Amino acid sequence: MEIGSCIRLQSGGCPTSYLTRASGFYEQSVSTVNRTSGVSSNVMFPRKSCICKATLKEANNNIEAVKVKPSEFTAEMELSSLTAISPLDGRYRTKVKDLSRYLSEYGLIYYRTLVEIKWLLKLSQIPEVSEVPSFSKEAETKLQGLIDGFSEADAIQVKNIEKITNHDVKAVEYFLKTKCQEDPEIAKVLEFFHFGCTSEDINNLAHGLMLKEAVNSVILPVMDDLVTAIYTMAKANAHVPMLSRTHGQPASPTTLGKEMVIFAERLSRERRDISQVEILGKFAGAVGNYNAHAAAYADVNWPQVAEQFVNSLGLSFNSYVTQIEPHDYMAKLFHSFIRFNNILLDFDKDIWGYISVGYFKQVTKAGEIGSSTMPHKVNPIDFENSEGNLGIANALLDHLSMKLPISRWQRDLTDSTVLRNIGVGLGYSLLAYKSALVGIGKLQVNEAALNKDLDNSWEVLAEPIQTVMRRYAVEEPYEKLKELTRGKAVNKESITEFINGLEIPVEAKKELLKLTPHNYVGVAAQLVEEACLRANARA
């Protein structure tokens, strides 16, 4: 049967009374009402959008026509956690919603509004721009109030204007003119909203502010919680011995705390790098030369004014640009996130492995299911979720880092749509951090399993024994220990016998005989304590 020639609709299918085999669009339209704007419209539904089930008459392949009740379809599904395409706005909404005020469409419109208003206020402070005199306190309060009181209703109003202008930044300008046209003082200078600006002058500053506020207000605090949690694990287990594994094989013992402090230190270093990335902004007009500015007011030092303005927003100034700020700082920032994420991914994998071999148990919660068929299981799902989401985050952040610094000639528009996904890359990162934190909170050290592995790994003492033998010039120490240990069962008795047979000073023998897999951990505990002290000092 030809695809699309079927008729019977399942729930959620097309809203027609009777369906025919006509190609293209069904002639019947459905009247819908947008619940946000209140605007009604007729919607034509293409055949291929139907969810169909094919039926065949055995005798003659006739097509069965089935009447569909209105209750069986919804012309436009309301956005909710169930209907969202992205799981960030659906299943995981509660975990990443703090980013919404900064990295959503609402956040972009808000920061555009802020930049437009702040620029008008800046113009009023330039003596040469006499057409925009200093504002009264009342007018300044009015303008600042538009920023402080900016609401979702305001953002919706901007979006409705955009439906007419088909230009998102221009819609903000028109919104502000509408809001200020009845103020006698501001109304005189309405045309100085967006004066000398290209859209990217507004956008790049808005994106910079979005990133700065989202990272500082939401992401860095969660990073800090994560790093602190791992430092806490390290300190609590500084003296807990653990068998190392290099190449997956038993190796010189360490302590659980020392292995944790490595991750805490690595993550802490990358977190500092992220906080030190300089967020840049430009405000130099259509191609970065202040062409329009100079044409209108040739006696104003516009580069200086632009630098003052960008700095007043808490951003660093980029003097040499095209129409766009070239986004190099974004690449640096996102690559820093990728490094942080890779370290956390390494941590997730290690913890997963330690849970697998029994070094950690997981605290169970009443009512939770580990496996749908195996009741005994408590799966390390939090670390697996973290690992999976870090992969998605890094893929997006890598694309942003590689794509954004590249723009044809003085600018192309490929960065515009890509920049709208900043919140996605950072959202999956935040989700991963929170998942790892939940997982850490469930961990319990299983010292019995740690001790069992150590008790069964006396061969790891081959390293210190042959090293001491070198000190006292015993011939072929490595080879002798290789003969003793490789491919053979090694235990306390065989190690003791070997040490007693060595021709080395008695005191050296006594020290070697004190060694066990449990206490041969070097200065691991000291390293942990020193790292934790430095971390406390930084805090």
Coordinates of all heavy atoms in Angstrom, one line a residue, residues 238-246 249-256 258-259 359 450 453-464 515-525 527:
A238 N 40.7 10.1 53.8 CA 42.1 10.3 53.5 C 43.0 9.1 53.9 O 44.0 8.8 53.3 CB 42.6 11.6 54.3
H239 N 42.6 8.4 55.0 CA 43.4 7.3 55.5 C 42.8 5.9 55.2 O 43.3 4.9 55.7 CB 43.5 7.5 57.0 CG 44.2 8.7 57.5 ND1 45.6 8.8 57.6 CD2 43.8 10.0 57.8 CE1 46.0 10.0 58.0 NE2 44.9 10.7 58.1
V240 N 41.8 5.9 54.3 CA 41.2 4.6 54.0 C 42.0 4.0 52.8 O 42.0 4.5 51.7 CB 39.7 4.8 53.6 CG1 39.1 3.4 53.1 CG2 38.9 5.3 54.8
P241 N 42.7 2.9 53.1 CA 43.6 2.3 52.0 C 42.7 1.7 50.9 O 41.6 1.1 51.2 CB 44.4 1.3 52.8 CG 43.6 0.9 53.9 CD 42.9 2.1 54.3
M242 N 43.3 1.7 49.7 CA 42.5 1.1 48.6 C 43.6 0.6 47.6 O 44.6 1.2 47.3 CB 41.7 2.2 47.9 CG 40.9 1.7 46.7 SD 39.8 3.0 46.0 CE 41.1 3.8 45.0
L243 N 43.3 -0.5 47.0 CA 44.1 -1.0 46.0 C 44.0 -0.2 44.7 O 42.9 0.1 44.2 CB 43.7 -2.5 45.6 CG 44.6 -3.2 44.6 CD1 46.0 -3.5 45.2 CD2 43.9 -4.5 44.2
S244 N 45.2 0.3 44.2 CA 45.1 0.9 42.9 C 45.0 -0.1 41.8 O 45.3 -1.3 41.9 CB 46.4 1.8 42.7 OG 46.5 2.9 43.5
R245 N 44.6 0.4 40.6 CA 44.6 -0.4 39.4 C 45.2 0.4 38.3 O 44.6 1.4 37.8 CB 43.2 -0.9 39.1 CG 42.8 -2.1 40.0 CD 41.4 -2.6 39.7 NE 41.0 -3.8 40.4 CZ 40.6 -3.9 41.6 NH1 40.4 -2.8 42.3 NH2 40.3 -5.1 42.1
T246 N 46.3 0.0 37.8 CA 46.8 0.6 36.5 C 46.7 -0.5 35.4 O 47.0 -1.6 35.6 CB 48.3 1.0 36.7 OG1 49.1 -0.1 37.1 CG2 48.4 2.1 37.8
Q249 N 44.9 -3.6 36.4 CA 45.6 -4.7 37.2 C 46.0 -4.1 38.5 O 46.2 -2.9 38.7 CB 46.9 -5.2 36.5 CG 46.6 -5.6 35.0 CD 45.6 -6.7 34.9 OE1 45.7 -7.7 35.6 NE2 44.6 -6.5 34.0
P250 N 46.1 -5.0 39.6 CA 46.5 -4.6 40.9 C 47.8 -3.8 40.8 O 48.7 -4.3 40.2 CB 46.6 -5.9 41.7 CG 45.6 -6.8 41.0 CD 45.7 -6.5 39.5
A251 N 47.8 -2.7 41.5 CA 49.0 -1.8 41.5 C 49.2 -1.3 43.0 O 48.4 -1.6 43.9 CB 48.9 -0.7 40.5
S252 N 50.3 -0.5 43.1 CA 50.6 0.0 44.5 C 49.4 0.7 45.1 O 48.7 1.4 44.5 CB 51.7 1.0 44.3 OG 52.9 0.4 43.8
P253 N 49.2 0.3 46.4 CA 48.0 0.9 47.1 C 48.0 2.4 47.2 O 49.1 3.0 47.2 CB 48.0 0.2 48.4 CG 48.8 -1.1 48.2 CD 49.9 -0.7 47.2
T254 N 46.8 2.9 47.3 CA 46.6 4.4 47.5 C 45.6 4.5 48.7 O 45.4 3.5 49.4 CB 46.1 5.0 46.2 OG1 46.0 6.4 46.4 CG2 44.8 4.4 45.8
T255 N 45.0 5.7 48.8 CA 43.9 5.8 49.7 C 42.7 6.3 48.9 O 42.9 7.0 47.9 CB 44.2 6.7 50.9 OG1 44.2 8.1 50.5 CG2 45.4 6.4 51.6
L256 N 41.5 6.0 49.3 CA 40.3 6.4 48.7 C 40.3 7.9 48.6 O 39.9 8.5 47.6 CB 39.1 5.8 49.4 CG 37.8 6.2 48.8 CD1 37.6 5.9 47.3 CD2 36.6 5.6 49.6
K258 N 42.8 10.1 48.6 CA 43.7 10.7 47.7 C 43.2 10.6 46.2 O 43.3 11.5 45.5 CB 45.0 9.9 47.8 CG 46.2 10.6 47.0 CD 46.3 10.0 45.7 CE 47.5 10.7 44.9 NZ 47.7 10.0 43.6
E259 N 42.5 9.5 45.9 CA 41.9 9.4 44.5 C 40.8 10.4 44.3 O 40.6 11.0 43.2 CB 41.4 8.0 44.3 CG 42.5 6.9 44.4 CD 43.8 7.3 43.6 OE1 43.7 7.6 42.4 OE2 44.9 7.4 44.3
Y359 N 33.4 -1.2 46.1 CA 34.0 -0.3 47.0 C 33.1 0.7 47.6 O 33.3 1.2 48.7 CB 35.2 0.4 46.3 CG 36.4 -0.4 46.0 CD1 36.4 -1.7 46.3 CD2 37.5 0.2 45.3 CE1 37.6 -2.5 46.0 CE2 38.6 -0.6 45.0 CZ 38.6 -1.9 45.4 OH 39.7 -2.7 45.1
L450 N 37.1 -3.1 50.2 CA 38.4 -2.5 50.0 C 39.5 -3.4 50.7 O 40.5 -3.7 50.1 CB 38.5 -1.1 50.6 CG 37.7 -0.1 49.9 CD1 37.5 1.2 50.8 CD2 38.3 0.3 48.6
D453 N 40.2 -6.9 48.9 CA 41.1 -6.7 47.7 C 42.5 -6.6 48.1 O 43.5 -7.1 47.5 CB 40.7 -5.6 46.8 CG 39.7 -6.0 45.8 OD1 39.3 -7.2 45.7 OD2 39.2 -5.2 45.0
L454 N 42.8 -5.8 49.2 CA 44.1 -5.6 49.7 C 44.7 -6.9 50.2 O 45.9 -7.2 50.0 CB 44.1 -4.5 50.7 CG 43.9 -3.0 50.2 CD1 43.6 -2.1 51.4 CD2 45.1 -2.5 49.4
D455 N 43.9 -7.6 51.0 CA 44.4 -8.9 51.6 C 44.8 -9.9 50.5 O 45.6 -10.7 50.8 CB 43.3 -9.5 52.4 CG 43.0 -8.7 53.7 OD1 44.0 -8.0 54.1 OD2 41.9 -8.8 54.3
N456 N 44.2 -9.8 49.3 CA 44.4 -10.7 48.3 C 45.5 -10.2 47.3 O 45.7 -10.8 46.2 CB 43.2 -11.0 47.5 CG 42.2 -11.8 48.3 OD1 42.5 -12.6 49.2 ND2 40.9 -11.6 48.1
S457 N 46.2 -9.2 47.7 CA 47.1 -8.5 46.7 C 48.5 -8.3 47.3 O 49.1 -7.2 47.1 CB 46.5 -7.2 46.1 OG 45.3 -7.5 45.5
W458 N 49.1 -9.3 47.9 CA 50.4 -9.1 48.5 C 51.5 -8.9 47.5 O 52.6 -8.3 47.8 CB 50.7 -10.2 49.4 CG 50.1 -10.1 50.8 CD1 48.8 -10.5 51.1 CD2 50.6 -9.6 52.0 NE1 48.5 -10.2 52.4 CE2 49.6 -9.7 53.0 CE3 51.9 -9.2 52.3 CZ2 49.9 -9.3 54.3 CZ3 52.1 -8.8 53.6 CH2 51.1 -8.8 54.6
E459 N 51.2 -9.2 46.3 CA 52.2 -9.0 45.2 C 52.6 -7.5 45.0 O 53.6 -7.2 44.4 CB 51.7 -9.6 43.9 CG 50.5 -9.0 43.3 CD 49.2 -9.6 43.7 OE1 49.2 -10.2 44.8 OE2 48.2 -9.4 43.0
V460 N 51.7 -6.6 45.4 CA 52.0 -5.2 45.2 C 53.2 -4.8 46.0 O 53.8 -3.7 45.8 CB 50.8 -4.3 45.6 CG1 49.6 -4.6 44.7 CG2 50.4 -4.4 47.0
L461 N 53.6 -5.6 47.0 CA 54.8 -5.2 47.8 C 56.1 -5.5 47.1 O 57.2 -5.2 47.5 CB 54.8 -6.0 49.1 CG 53.6 -5.6 50.1 CD1 53.8 -6.3 51.4 CD2 53.6 -4.1 50.3
A462 N 56.0 -6.1 45.9 CA 57.2 -6.3 45.1 C 57.9 -5.0 44.8 O 59.2 -4.9 44.7 CB 56.8 -7.0 43.8
E463 N 57.1 -3.9 44.6 CA 57.7 -2.6 44.3 C 58.7 -2.1 45.4 O 59.8 -1.8 45.2 CB 56.7 -1.6 44.0 CG 57.2 -0.2 43.6 CD 56.2 0.9 43.6 OE1 55.3 0.9 44.4 OE2 56.3 1.8 42.7
P464 N 58.2 -2.0 46.6 CA 59.1 -1.5 47.7 C 60.2 -2.4 48.0 O 61.3 -1.9 48.3 CB 58.1 -1.3 48.9 CG 57.0 -2.3 48.7 CD 56.8 -2.3 47.2
L515 N 55.7 -3.8 56.3 CA 54.8 -3.4 55.2 C 53.7 -4.4 54.9 O 53.9 -5.6 55.0 CB 55.6 -3.2 53.9 CG 56.5 -2.0 53.8 CD1 57.3 -2.0 52.5 CD2 55.8 -0.7 54.0
T516 N 52.5 -3.9 54.7 CA 51.4 -4.7 54.2 C 50.7 -4.0 53.1 O 50.9 -2.7 52.9 CB 50.4 -5.0 55.4 OG1 49.7 -3.7 55.6 CG2 51.0 -5.4 56.6
P517 N 49.9 -4.6 52.3 CA 49.1 -3.9 51.3 C 48.2 -2.7 51.9 O 47.9 -1.8 51.2 CB 48.2 -4.9 50.6 CG 49.0 -6.2 50.9 CD 49.6 -6.1 52.2
H518 N 47.9 -2.8 53.2 CA 47.1 -1.8 53.8 C 47.9 -0.6 54.2 O 47.3 0.5 54.2 CB 46.5 -2.4 55.1 CG 45.5 -3.5 54.8 ND1 44.2 -3.3 54.7 CD2 45.7 -4.9 54.6 CE1 43.6 -4.5 54.4 NE2 44.5 -5.5 54.4
N519 N 49.1 -0.7 54.5 CA 49.9 0.5 55.0 C 50.9 1.0 54.0 O 51.6 2.0 54.2 CB 50.6 0.2 56.4 CG 51.6 -0.9 56.3 OD1 52.2 -1.2 55.3 ND2 51.9 -1.5 57.5
Y520 N 51.0 0.3 52.9 CA 52.0 0.7 51.8 C 51.2 1.8 50.9 O 50.9 1.5 49.8 CB 52.5 -0.5 51.0 CG 53.4 -0.1 49.9 CD1 54.5 0.7 50.1 CD2 53.2 -0.5 48.6 CE1 55.4 1.1 49.1 CE2 54.0 -0.2 47.6 CZ 55.1 0.6 47.8 OH 55.9 1.0 46.8
V521 N 51.0 2.9 51.5 CA 50.3 4.0 50.8 C 51.1 5.3 50.6 O 50.5 6.3 50.2 CB 48.9 4.2 51.5 CG1 48.0 3.0 51.4 CG2 49.2 4.7 52.9
G522 N 52.3 5.2 51.0 CA 53.2 6.4 50.8 C 52.6 7.6 51.6 O 52.2 7.4 52.8
V523 N 52.6 8.8 51.0 CA 52.2 10.0 51.7 C 50.8 10.4 51.2 O 50.5 11.6 51.2 CB 53.2 11.1 51.6 CG1 54.5 10.8 52.2 CG2 53.4 11.5 50.1
A524 N 50.0 9.4 50.8 CA 48.7 9.7 50.3 C 47.8 10.6 51.2 O 47.2 11.6 50.8 CB 47.9 8.4 49.9
A525 N 47.8 10.2 52.5 CA 46.9 11.0 53.4 C 47.4 12.4 53.6 O 46.6 13.3 53.7 CB 46.9 10.3 54.8
L527 N 49.0 14.2 51.3 CA 48.6 14.9 50.1 C 47.1 15.4 50.2 O 46.8 16.5 49.8 CB 48.8 14.0 48.9 CG 50.2 13.7 48.5 CD1 50.2 12.6 47.4 CD2 51.0 14.9 48.1

